[in-house]
Amino acid sequence: MRIWAIANQKGGVGKTTSSLCLARCMADLDHRVLLIDLDPHGSLTRAFGVPTEPPPKGTYDLFNGDSVESVATTTSHACIDLLAAQPAMATLERRSATQPGLGLALLRALQGAAGRYDYALLDCPPTLGLLLVNALAACDRLIVPTQTDPLALHGLEGMLRTAAMVERSRSRPLVRQILPTLFDRRTRSCLETLEHLRTYPGVGVCPSPIPMDTRLRDAAALATHRHLGGRGVSAYRDALQWLLETAPAEQEAA
Ligand SMILES: Nc1ncnc2c1ncn2[C@@H]1O[C@H](COP(=O)(O)OP(=O)(O)OP(=O)(O)O)[C@@H](O)[C@H]1O
Ligand SMILES: [Mg+2]
């Protein structure tokens, strides 16, 4: 199983949309995908219409030693399972102060599910904390959705600094790739930002930026509609192709 973290410390850059669309495009290629909602806000979980009362089984349970198999939720897509966000995830930060080793809980859980899925996609929260650190410790590669806007560069740079910091405590390198999002090719600042993204050393930039597309705004439709269309989804298909082609650089942990 290959584990891809979709992360950026900046909010609203398309992490959840990218996780969802990449998972759908992977499923169309018959890959078995585990989507993990690591954001206590639970946007991904809501998109799949998972009821919040009573709280579902899901991501938090992994931090109590439960197996992926016992807490994953099936979805309307045969190839996609979901680990739902749970409100208790918000308490993990406090727990980590007294419970050493919590930073590797996700990696351990995913190692136990290695044969069940081809890919695990981690939809990360926009904050630097235990959940993001878990994702960076567990993943084979880091995909940073980055809004093609000059103001978004700070978020990207913060994310790359965090990745470098976590990489020092990993036994294998962390592949980093930028996925430009919310791209409008009519706008000069978008074009200039895209050029700038290509200047970061050692970081691959996806050659097919994801355009602004109002059809990507409806997360529930992206999660549940049987067939997806539009130029946004089509760009995600191209992006996935590029990500798959650059796969050999990965070293699998699970
Ligand atoms: N390519 C796009 N075109 C148009 N709207 C988009 C596109 N990508 C994302 N959006 C919209 O932008 C908003 C933010 O996207 P999303 O929720 O995926 O970002 P996020 O990084 O996961 O945010 P958060 O940090 O809050 O978790 C959402 O309303 C989403 O529907
Ligand atoms: Mg999100």
mmCIF file of all heavy atoms in Angstrom, residues 36-37 69 76 95 104-105 164 196 210 234 238:
data_model
loop_
_atom_site.group_PDB
_atom_site.id
_atom_site.type_symbol
_atom_site.label_atom_id
_atom_site.label_comp_id
_atom_site.label_asym_id
_atom_site.label_seq_id
_atom_site.Cartn_x
_atom_site.Cartn_y
_atom_site.Cartn_z
ATOM 1 N N ILE A 36 -8.626 8.747 4.355
ATOM 2 C CA ILE A 36 -8.589 8.965 5.807
ATOM 3 C C ILE A 36 -8.819 10.439 6.118
ATOM 4 O O ILE A 36 -8.049 11.307 5.665
ATOM 5 C CB ILE A 36 -7.227 8.510 6.379
ATOM 6 C CG1 ILE A 36 -6.982 7.038 6.002
ATOM 7 C CG2 ILE A 36 -7.205 8.701 7.895
ATOM 8 C CD1 ILE A 36 -5.719 6.449 6.589
ATOM 9 N N ASP A 37 -9.879 10.710 6.853
ATOM 10 C CA ASP A 37 -10.165 12.085 7.250
ATOM 11 C C ASP A 37 -9.408 12.387 8.536
ATOM 12 O O ASP A 37 -9.783 11.921 9.621
ATOM 13 C CB ASP A 37 -11.678 12.270 7.448
ATOM 14 C CG ASP A 37 -12.057 13.742 7.522
ATOM 15 O OD1 ASP A 37 -11.132 14.571 7.711
ATOM 16 O OD2 ASP A 37 -13.251 14.066 7.391
ATOM 17 N N GLU A 69 -9.331 -2.172 9.653
ATOM 18 C CA GLU A 69 -10.427 -3.037 9.215
ATOM 19 C C GLU A 69 -11.672 -2.875 10.100
ATOM 20 O O GLU A 69 -12.802 -2.853 9.619
ATOM 21 C CB GLU A 69 -9.925 -4.477 9.278
ATOM 22 C CG GLU A 69 -10.872 -5.476 8.690
ATOM 23 C CD GLU A 69 -10.299 -6.887 8.811
ATOM 24 O OE1 GLU A 69 -9.170 -7.053 9.296
ATOM 25 O OE2 GLU A 69 -11.021 -7.820 8.421
ATOM 26 N N SER A 76 -20.369 4.328 -1.204
ATOM 27 C CA SER A 76 -21.146 3.836 -2.353
ATOM 28 C C SER A 76 -20.236 3.392 -3.500
ATOM 29 O O SER A 76 -20.710 2.881 -4.504
ATOM 30 C CB SER A 76 -22.113 4.918 -2.821
ATOM 31 O OG SER A 76 -21.403 6.108 -3.059
ATOM 32 N N ARG A 95 -3.673 14.501 24.830
ATOM 33 C CA ARG A 95 -3.232 13.143 25.175
ATOM 34 C C ARG A 95 -1.751 12.944 24.887
ATOM 35 O O ARG A 95 -1.045 12.229 25.601
ATOM 36 C CB ARG A 95 -4.020 12.124 24.344
ATOM 37 C CG ARG A 95 -5.096 11.426 25.110
ATOM 38 C CD ARG A 95 -5.835 10.443 24.226
ATOM 39 N NE ARG A 95 -5.053 9.262 23.911
ATOM 40 C CZ ARG A 95 -5.472 8.287 23.108
ATOM 41 N NH1 ARG A 95 -6.653 8.363 22.551
ATOM 42 N NH2 ARG A 95 -4.715 7.236 22.877
ATOM 43 N N LEU A 104 3.345 8.008 16.058
ATOM 44 C CA LEU A 104 3.507 6.913 15.084
ATOM 45 C C LEU A 104 2.279 5.999 15.037
ATOM 46 O O LEU A 104 2.306 4.950 14.398
ATOM 47 C CB LEU A 104 4.750 6.086 15.433
ATOM 48 C CG LEU A 104 6.081 6.827 15.304
ATOM 49 C CD1 LEU A 104 7.222 5.943 15.769
ATOM 50 C CD2 LEU A 104 6.313 7.281 13.866
ATOM 51 N N ALA A 105 1.194 6.422 15.693
ATOM 52 C CA ALA A 105 0.001 5.564 15.775
ATOM 53 C C ALA A 105 -0.581 5.275 14.387
ATOM 54 O O ALA A 105 -0.979 4.136 14.085
ATOM 55 C CB ALA A 105 -1.055 6.233 16.661
ATOM 56 N N ALA A 164 10.640 18.980 6.145
ATOM 57 C CA ALA A 164 12.091 18.771 6.319
ATOM 58 C C ALA A 164 12.384 18.369 7.768
ATOM 59 O O ALA A 164 13.233 17.509 8.030
ATOM 60 C CB ALA A 164 12.840 20.042 5.939
ATOM 61 N N HIS A 196 6.733 30.509 -10.164
ATOM 62 C CA HIS A 196 7.517 30.550 -8.924
ATOM 63 C C HIS A 196 7.559 29.177 -8.250
ATOM 64 O O HIS A 196 8.581 28.779 -7.694
ATOM 65 C CB HIS A 196 6.943 31.601 -7.971
ATOM 66 C CG HIS A 196 7.752 31.775 -6.735
ATOM 67 N ND1 HIS A 196 8.888 32.563 -6.702
ATOM 68 C CD2 HIS A 196 7.636 31.221 -5.503
ATOM 69 C CE1 HIS A 196 9.418 32.482 -5.492
ATOM 70 N NE2 HIS A 196 8.685 31.684 -4.748
ATOM 71 N N ILE A 210 -4.735 22.424 -11.314
ATOM 72 C CA ILE A 210 -6.188 22.217 -11.223
ATOM 73 C C ILE A 210 -6.873 23.575 -11.393
ATOM 74 O O ILE A 210 -6.632 24.501 -10.611
ATOM 75 C CB ILE A 210 -6.574 21.616 -9.847
ATOM 76 C CG1 ILE A 210 -5.723 20.379 -9.531
ATOM 77 C CG2 ILE A 210 -8.070 21.315 -9.813
ATOM 78 C CD1 ILE A 210 -5.810 19.242 -10.522
ATOM 79 N N SER A 234 -11.199 16.465 -14.887
ATOM 80 C CA SER A 234 -10.287 16.025 -15.945
ATOM 81 C C SER A 234 -8.831 16.398 -15.589
ATOM 82 O O SER A 234 -7.901 15.602 -15.806
ATOM 83 C CB SER A 234 -10.772 16.686 -17.234
ATOM 84 O OG SER A 234 -9.877 16.550 -18.210
ATOM 85 N N ASP A 238 -5.467 13.962 -14.996
ATOM 86 C CA ASP A 238 -4.109 14.172 -15.535
ATOM 87 C C ASP A 238 -3.093 14.233 -14.393
ATOM 88 O O ASP A 238 -1.986 13.708 -14.497
ATOM 89 C CB ASP A 238 -4.049 15.482 -16.334
ATOM 90 C CG ASP A 238 -4.888 15.400 -17.605
ATOM 91 O OD1 ASP A 238 -5.251 14.268 -17.996
ATOM 92 O OD2 ASP A 238 -5.206 16.453 -18.175
#
